[in-house]
């Protein structure tokens, strides 16, 4: 029988290990050394556990390879060393985690001057991360004894691998009590305040970006943990520090410097956007707000964050008018002077997030500044910037669908008559949304009739117009929208009514046919609204309410990738998950 024969060929590594003078590099030159290590080859692991071998493996990781080596093989040994040390062999983890001399040697990498070698930094971070995961108590205790650890992390935060290491400290330690001790330790070291200080025009872009990303991840990790451990007696000290009004004020003070630095501004806005992200849990000191179409969930915004942002809204508005200077951009369709820029795009994203909170004082400030009017001007000025058009469309959809405003105390304002919505009035009266839609549509039709190119914002303009029609018929502010349209000048009102039944209806019909014909090719969309009730009323377009095409276009138009859409056109996860196909 075949099992009588030994078909297993012994590894060449075993043959090498029989030699007394075999070297570590000789073993690392073998192709199957990693495989044998992970397979717990006893002889190999015993060899690697020798003190001199472990020291050499760590040295490969933390020391620059010789400059005169061929670039193709220069990082061969550091890479293999990292893989061997992170192969998750318990004996190697134990030796590394318990021998102070090895830990000191590994830690010495942080003592190098900035910038660190990014590849070596990734090896260092990977090794220390697995030790944190497997030997959390020993490693955290070792790091706590190093009084310069947080200083060095801040010093090297511009290196992405070091940022990852900081986040590993928060994610790799699973038991609640040790994790809480790490949070308290990092909070005592003022890690939040020191990361916020980095988001300043005087620092470079890599430090801005990594400090901002670290803070954003800390926010998300803390909130996720709070949802998972709902009965925790201790709050997350890092999140509590970051949500303090004085910390947000310091962050904003940093970026509204005399020098407008786009990298610092965008990084700070990313932090604010993460703080304004909605979540379901209720905690003391937060406002409960419910975004449009999400009536079944509780969403929260920290009051101190809102207060700090509201005090600086005029500065953000000024950025829309006078962004950091950028070079003129020449494109195939014309000259952009100035271009939209990342700063203004992110300011509009911030306004969108603030509109979602639907807070009375914030809305009032936006009205007084006419920020909505300014971003509407940008919508029509920058004809081809669909990133901008998408954000402006979201802002308008939020205003149209917003319920009565919430105050800072989380209660509904009763200063105005029922159904009153000052921001919605501002959109129609001061910003003249209807008039601008009609004017832009007529200009586009005239341009196309003369042989010109269709304006790049027309798809977004179609969705905005349909959103108004939907809000008029069955939106939460339908009575007010109907009243505002009724109060338009007679000539404008007649033009709008004609537009809805002719141009808009024809466009909806054409788009629906296009959608049906292209669906088999794999059309997919992303969602802005979450309410399945936010669908277009197709009475204006002439389609029956039960039409499958109408349902498909409604899903597409209101940006909802619903199960109906998926079922209608034959996409399902099981077919696409079949690896053989």
């Amino acid at each position: 029988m075949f099992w009588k024969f030994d078909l297993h060929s012994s590894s060449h590594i075993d043959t090498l290990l029989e030699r007394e003078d075999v070297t570590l590099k000789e073993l690392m030159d073998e192709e199957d050394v990693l495989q044998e290590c992970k397979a717990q080859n006893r002889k190999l692991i015993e060899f690697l556990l020798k003190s001199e071998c472990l020291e050499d493996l760590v040295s490969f990781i933390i020391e620059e390879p010789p400059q005169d080596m061929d670039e193709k093989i220069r990082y061969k040994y550091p890479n293999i060393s990292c893989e061997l040390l992170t192969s998750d062999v318990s004996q190697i983890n134990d030796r590394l985690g318990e021998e102070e001399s090895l830990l000191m040697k590994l830690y010495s990498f942080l003592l190098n001057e900035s910038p660190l070698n990014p590849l070596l930094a990734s090896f260092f971070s990977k090794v220390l991360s697995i030790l944190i995961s497997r030997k959390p108590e020993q490693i955290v205790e070792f790091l706590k004894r190093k009084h310069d650890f947080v200083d060095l992390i801040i010093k090297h935060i511009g290196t992405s691998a070091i940022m990852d290491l900081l986040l590993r400290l928060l994610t790799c330690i699973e038991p609640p009590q040790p994790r809480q001790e790490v949070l308290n330790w990092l909070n005592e070291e003022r890690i939040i305040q020191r990361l916020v200080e980095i988001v300043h025009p005087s620092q470079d872009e890599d430090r801005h970006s990594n400090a901002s990303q670290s803070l954003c991840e800390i926010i998300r990790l803390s909130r996720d943990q709070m949802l998972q451990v709902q009965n925790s007696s201790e709050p997350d000290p890092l999140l509590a520090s970051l949500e303090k009004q004085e910390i947000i004020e310091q962050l904003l003070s940093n970026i509204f410097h005399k020098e407008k630095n786009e990298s610092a501004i965008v990084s700070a806005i990313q932090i604010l956007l993460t703080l304004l992200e909605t979540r379901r849990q209720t905690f003391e000191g937060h406002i409960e707000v419910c975004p449009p179409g999400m009536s079944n969930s509780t969403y929260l915004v920290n009051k101190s964050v809102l207060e700090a942002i509201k005090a600086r809204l005029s500065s953000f508005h000024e950025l829309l008018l006078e962004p950091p200077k950028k070079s003129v951009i020449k494109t195939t369709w014309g000259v952009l002077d100035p271009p939209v820029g990342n700063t203004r795009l992110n300011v509009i994203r911030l306004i969108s997030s603030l509109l979602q909170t639907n807070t009375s004082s914030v809305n009032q400030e936006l009205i007084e500044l006419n920020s909505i009017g300014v971003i509407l001007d940008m919508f029509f000025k920058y004809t081809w910037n669909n990133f901008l058009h998408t954000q402006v469309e979201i802002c308008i959809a939020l205003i149209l669908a917003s319920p009565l405003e919430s105050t800072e105390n989380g209660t509904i304002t009763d200063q105005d008559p029922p159904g009153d919505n000052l921001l919605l009035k501002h959109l129609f009266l001061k910003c003249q949304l209807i008039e601008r839609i009609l004017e832009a549509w007529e200009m586009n039709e005239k341009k196309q009739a003369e042989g010109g190119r269709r304006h790049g914002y027309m798809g977004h303009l179609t969705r905005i117009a349909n959103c108004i029609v939907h809000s008029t018929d069955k939106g939460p502010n339908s009575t007010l929208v109907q009243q505002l349209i009724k109060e338009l000048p007679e000539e404008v009102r007649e033009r709008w009514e004609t537009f809805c039944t002719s141009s808009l209806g024809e466009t909806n019909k054409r788009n629906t046919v296009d959608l049906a014909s292209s669906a088999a090719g794999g059309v997919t969309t992303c969602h802005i609204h979450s309410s399945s009730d936010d669908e277009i009323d197709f009475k204006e377009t002439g389609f029956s309410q039960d039409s499958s095409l109408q349902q498909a276009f409604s899903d597409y138009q209101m940006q909802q990738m619903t199960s109906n859409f998926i079922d209608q056109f034959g996409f399902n996860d099981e077919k696409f998950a079949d690896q053989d196909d």
Side-chain angles (χ1 to χ4, degrees):
M1 301 297 286
F2 71 90
W3 54 80
K4 290 184 179 179
F5 301 97
D6 183 9
L7 299 179
H8 176 69
S9 57
S10 62
S11 168
H12 184 54
I13 286 181
D14 290 331
T15 305
L16 284 174
L17 288 168
E18 290 176 1
R19 287 171 36 200
E20 292 185 2
D21 60 344
V22 65
T23 65
L24 178 61
K25 282 190 175 182
E26 284 182 287
L27 290 171
M28 293 171 75
D29 286 334
E30 293 296 315
E31 290 184 359
D32 58 346
V33 65
L34 294 178
Q35 180 182 340
E36 289 295 314
C37 182
K38 291 178 180 179
Q40 305 277 333
N41 182 309
R42 184 179 59 80
K43 289 183 179 179
L44 176 60
I45 291 175
E46 286 177 355
F47 182 86
L48 295 177
L49 287 175
K50 292 179 180 179
S51 296
E52 60 272 20
C53 288
L54 284 175
E55 286 188 9
D56 287 344
L57 289 172
V58 173
S59 295
F60 279 129
I61 287 172
I62 66 171
E63 295 175 3
E64 286 280 349
Q67 294 287 345
D68 56 355
M69 288 183 67
D70 184 349
E71 197 65 32
K72 292 181 180 178
I73 63 170
R74 189 168 174 229
Y75 290 99
K76 172 185 174 182
Y77 294 123
N79 180 46
I80 295 174
S81 296
C82 175
E83 293 300 319
L84 287 170
L85 292 177
T86 58
S87 56
D88 210 12
V89 175
S90 59
Q91 298 98 309
I92 294 177
N93 292 340
D94 290 342
R95 284 289 300 278
L96 275 177
E98 293 169 4
E99 282 200 21
E100 184 87 3
S101 60
L102 289 173
L103 285 177
M104 280 297 300
K105 192 176 186 69
L106 186 64
Y107 182 82
S108 67
F109 178 74
L110 288 176
L111 302 177
N112 292 322
E113 288 301 313
S114 293
L116 296 174
N117 180 312
L119 191 54
L120 293 182
S122 69
F123 297 151
F124 163 80
S125 176
K126 187 175 180 181
V127 172
L128 197 52
S129 293
I130 197 168
L131 291 178
I132 292 171
S133 177
R134 297 293 181 258
K135 314 288 288 183
E137 293 182 7
Q138 294 94 321
I139 302 303
V140 169
E141 190 58 38
F142 170 80
L143 295 176
K144 281 183 179 181
R145 293 200 305 270
K146 300 299 170 187
H147 300 299
D148 59 350
F149 173 70
V150 175
D151 296 335
L152 294 171
I153 291 291
I154 294 296
K155 176 182 176 180
H156 298 304
I157 198 69
T159 303
S160 295
I162 303 304
M163 174 194 71
D164 293 338
L165 176 61
L166 171 61
L167 297 176
R168 285 285 185 178
L169 266 176
L170 303 176
T171 57
C172 287
I173 302 174
E174 296 183 359
Q177 190 56 38
R179 184 179 184 278
Q180 189 68 35
E181 290 174 2
V182 169
L183 295 178
N184 291 336
W185 165 51
L186 291 175
N187 193 52
E188 290 167 5
E189 294 286 338
R190 300 181 68 254
I191 189 75
I192 296 298
Q193 291 86 336
R194 296 165 78 174
L195 288 170
V196 166
E197 288 169 2
I198 293 173
V199 185
H200 189 280
S202 63
Q203 304 281 336
D204 61 42
E205 290 188 16
D206 286 340
R207 288 174 65 77
H208 291 162
S209 176
N210 286 353
S212 172
Q213 189 175 338
S214 297
L215 289 168
C216 291
E217 289 302 317
I218 287 171
I219 295 166
R220 295 189 180 105
L221 289 169
S222 298
R223 289 176 175 170
D224 289 346
Q225 187 68 18
M226 290 167 76
L227 289 176
Q228 293 170 15
V229 188
Q230 297 184 14
N231 297 324
S232 176
S233 57
E234 295 186 72
D236 189 303
L238 298 184
L239 181 60
S241 292
L242 187 48
E243 288 185 327
K244 287 180 180 177
Q245 187 167 336
E246 57 266 30
I247 297 295
I248 306 301
E249 288 172 351
Q250 179 62 50
L251 175 67
L252 297 176
S253 176
N254 288 352
I255 63 169
F256 292 121
H257 202 258
K258 291 180 181 178
E259 171 195 355
K260 293 178 182 176
N261 183 293
E262 179 165 88
S263 172
I265 293 169
V266 170
S267 296
I269 291 176
Q270 294 298 320
I271 298 167
L272 298 178
L273 290 172
T274 308
L275 285 168
L276 290 172
E277 282 178 358
T278 51
R279 57 235 193 250
R280 295 174 184 269
Q281 194 67 19
T282 303
F283 300 100
E284 185 179 353
H286 293 73
I287 302 172
E288 295 186 13
V289 292
C290 190
M294 298 296 288
S295 56
N296 294 328
S297 302
T298 300
Y299 282 74
L300 308 167
V301 175
N302 188 283
K303 291 189 292 186
S304 60
V305 174
L306 274 177
E307 283 297 321
I309 296 174
K310 186 185 75 171
R312 286 287 193 166
L313 273 178
S314 59
S315 300
F316 282 113
H317 180 82
E318 184 63 27
L319 287 175
L320 292 175
L321 303 174
E322 294 289 337
K325 293 195 179 298
K326 299 184 77 69
S327 302
V328 173
I329 297 180
K330 294 181 180 179
T331 69
T332 53
W333 56 82
V335 176
L336 297 178
D337 184 17
V340 174
N342 207 10
T343 293
R344 292 200 284 184
L345 191 61
N346 276 276
V347 170
I348 297 173
R349 288 182 64 202
L350 178 63
I351 291 174
S352 170
S353 289
L354 290 171
L355 288 174
Q356 189 166 332
T357 70
N358 195 33
T359 308
S360 179
S361 60
V362 172
N363 290 352
Q364 187 61 46
E365 187 73 13
L366 291 173
I367 291 170
E368 292 176 5
L369 293 168
N370 192 31
S371 298
I372 305 301
V374 170
I375 66 175
L376 205 55
D377 290 341
M378 292 175 62
F379 179 95
F380 293 109
K381 178 181 178 180
Y382 295 97
T383 311
W384 302 102
N385 194 316
N386 285 162
F387 295 107
L388 167 66
H389 302 152
T390 298
Q391 294 303 320
V392 176
E393 180 191 339
I394 292 171
C395 289
I396 292 173
L398 286 167
I399 295 172
L400 286 168
S402 61
L404 291 177
E405 299 161 348
S406 62
T407 66
E408 285 75 3
N409 296 320
T411 58
I412 300 298
T413 179
D414 55 3
Q415 297 175 351
D416 301 305
D420 204 3
N421 187 318
L422 296 178
L423 200 54
L424 185 56
K425 286 185 175 181
H426 174 76
L427 182 63
F428 276 83
L429 301 178
K430 173 73 175 177
C431 301
Q432 297 185 315
L433 179 61
I434 297 291
E435 291 90 328
R436 301 200 70 171
I437 291 173
L438 294 171
E439 180 184 349
W441 201 285
E442 290 163 4
M443 284 177 58
N444 179 73
E445 288 188 337
K446 181 180 178 182
K447 184 176 181 179
Q448 285 191 282
E450 296 171 351
R453 182 180 295 178
R454 182 175 182 259
H455 285 157
Y457 53 63
M458 289 305 294
H460 294 277
L461 202 65
T462 301
R463 285 205 288 266
I464 291 171
N466 274 321
C467 198
I468 295 173
V469 172
H470 168 73
S471 298
T472 305
D473 291 341
K474 57 179 183 178
N477 300 299
S478 58
T479 303
L480 179 56
V481 175
Q482 290 169 13
Q483 179 185 337
L484 291 170
I485 292 177
K486 188 176 180 181
E487 292 174 358
L488 290 170
E490 185 177 353
E491 181 263 339
V492 175
R493 189 174 68 253
E494 289 177 355
R495 283 169 61 202
W496 173 253
E497 291 171 354
T498 303
F499 165 76
C500 289
T501 54
S502 58
S503 298
L504 183 61
E506 290 168 5
T507 300
N508 286 338
K509 184 175 181 180
R510 184 168 59 250
N511 287 345
T512 306
V513 172
D514 290 344
L515 176 67
S517 62
S518 63
V523 176
T524 59
T525 62
C526 60
H527 61 84
I528 292 176
H529 302 294
S530 301
S531 170
S532 58
D533 295 326
D534 286 351
E535 297 170 357
I536 304 164
D537 190 342
F538 277 75
K539 293 177 182 177
E540 298 290 343
T541 65
F543 290 108
S544 68
Q545 189 67 23
D546 296 330
S547 168
S548 61
L549 291 179
Q550 176 268 321
Q551 177 63 43
F553 182 62
S554 176
D555 292 337
Y556 171 78
Q557 188 76 355
M558 297 306 291
Q559 299 276 299
Q560 296 183 110
M561 190 60 177
T562 63
S563 57
N564 290 341
F565 188 96
I566 297 170
D567 294 341
Q568 176 85 23
F569 295 108
F571 297 106
N572 69 70
D573 293 337
E574 292 179 3
K575 289 182 180 178
F576 282 96
D578 192 335
Q579 298 298 320
D580 293 336
D581 293 343

